Amino acid sequence: MAHQAGGQRPAPRPVPETCETQAYLQDYGALLEYVSCPSLVVDRHWNVVMANSAFETLFQGVRPHPTAMPGENFLRFVLFHPDAGEILGEHEPGWCLPMMAQVRSALEAHAHDHELQALRREIAQDPIMEAAYRQGLPHWIRAVGEAAARLDGAVRLLHHPDPRRGRTECRIVEESSRPLLELGYRRLTMILRDPRRSAAPVRRQRRPRGAASHLTVVPSPGN
């Protein structure tokens, strides 16, 4: 479901001004480096505040994109980067639709947030993305339940570039310390599971890199 995103990249997130806060975030970044699984800290717009080396390794092969690099805004990467499906397995039901549900929930809570509104307009500019948001997302939630849209505790499929892991699963664990919460941040860690515990391999339908895909929850044009 990856598509090229239009418009300009959002303005950079302001850096906290107090020395104490900056020192805390610097030390928290050092803590992330001790974690062997991909881990990142995001704000409510999914701008990436910091990420560890394991996260960078997971996404090291993605091509440059003006608005949707994983180390800049993870939500935009999931929705708009044409390479996202090469790393995020079962891209549509496992990642895209849950992240669209995150957009919907965020807009319900912060209806006047300019950055969220800009993201919503960006979705609306793409007919397939808009159909997914308006039609596919409600249909999917009715089919699988609201719980499937939650991230914390969810098990998702990954195609890891390290051949020792390859096709594997991760459990997403969300947590935030009090200082992070006060800054409006949260931490997400992808706990990589032993490939032997993952489901049996399935054949992947590969498309040429950069080719647009179509949401299966949305009727194809002309149908």
Side-chain angles (χ1 to χ4, degrees), residues 148-164:
R150 292 198 293 266
L151 294 178
D152 189 23
V155 175
R156 301 290 188 236
L157 183 64
L158 290 175
H159 299 288
H160 201 283
D162 186 338
R164 293 172 296 180

Side-chain angles (χ1 to χ4, degrees), residues 4 15 26 66 98 102 111 118 120 123-124 126 129 146 155 160 162:
Q4 294 290 334
V15 177
Q26 183 176 1
Q102 293 283 312
R120 179 66 187 92
I123 291 173
D126 186 302
M129 295 286 284
E146 291 279 352
V155 175
H160 201 283
D162 186 338

Side-chain angles (χ1 to χ4, degrees), residues 8-16 43 45 47-49 72-73 115 185:
Q8 298 297 317
R9 191 167 64 197
R13 174 194 53 78
V15 177
D43 64 14
H45 305 114
N47 295 314
V48 177
V49 178
E72 295 176 358
N73 187 290
E115 192 165 333
Y185 300 162

Side-chain angles (χ1 to χ4, degrees), residues 129-140:
M129 295 286 284
E130 180 68 359
Y133 189 89
R134 288 185 174 274
Q135 303 168 27
L137 180 60
H139 171 78
W140 176 74

Side-chain angles (χ1 to χ4, degrees), residues 82-149:
D83 295 346
E86 294 296 310
I87 301 169
L88 307 177
E90 298 178 349
H91 185 223
E92 176 191 325
W95 296 91
C96 289
L97 292 171
M99 292 298 265
M100 280 192 172
Q102 293 283 312
V103 174
R104 187 187 67 172
S105 297
L107 280 168
E108 289 173 352
H110 307 283
H112 301 293
D113 186 290
H114 295 302
E115 192 165 333
L116 292 173
Q117 290 176 344
L119 177 61
R120 179 66 187 92
R121 288 193 298 271
E122 195 168 323
I123 291 173
Q125 289 171 3
D126 186 302
I128 294 177
M129 295 286 284
E130 180 68 359
Y133 189 89
R134 288 185 174 274
Q135 303 168 27
L137 180 60
H139 171 78
W140 176 74
I141 289 177
R142 286 194 300 269
V144 302
E146 291 279 352

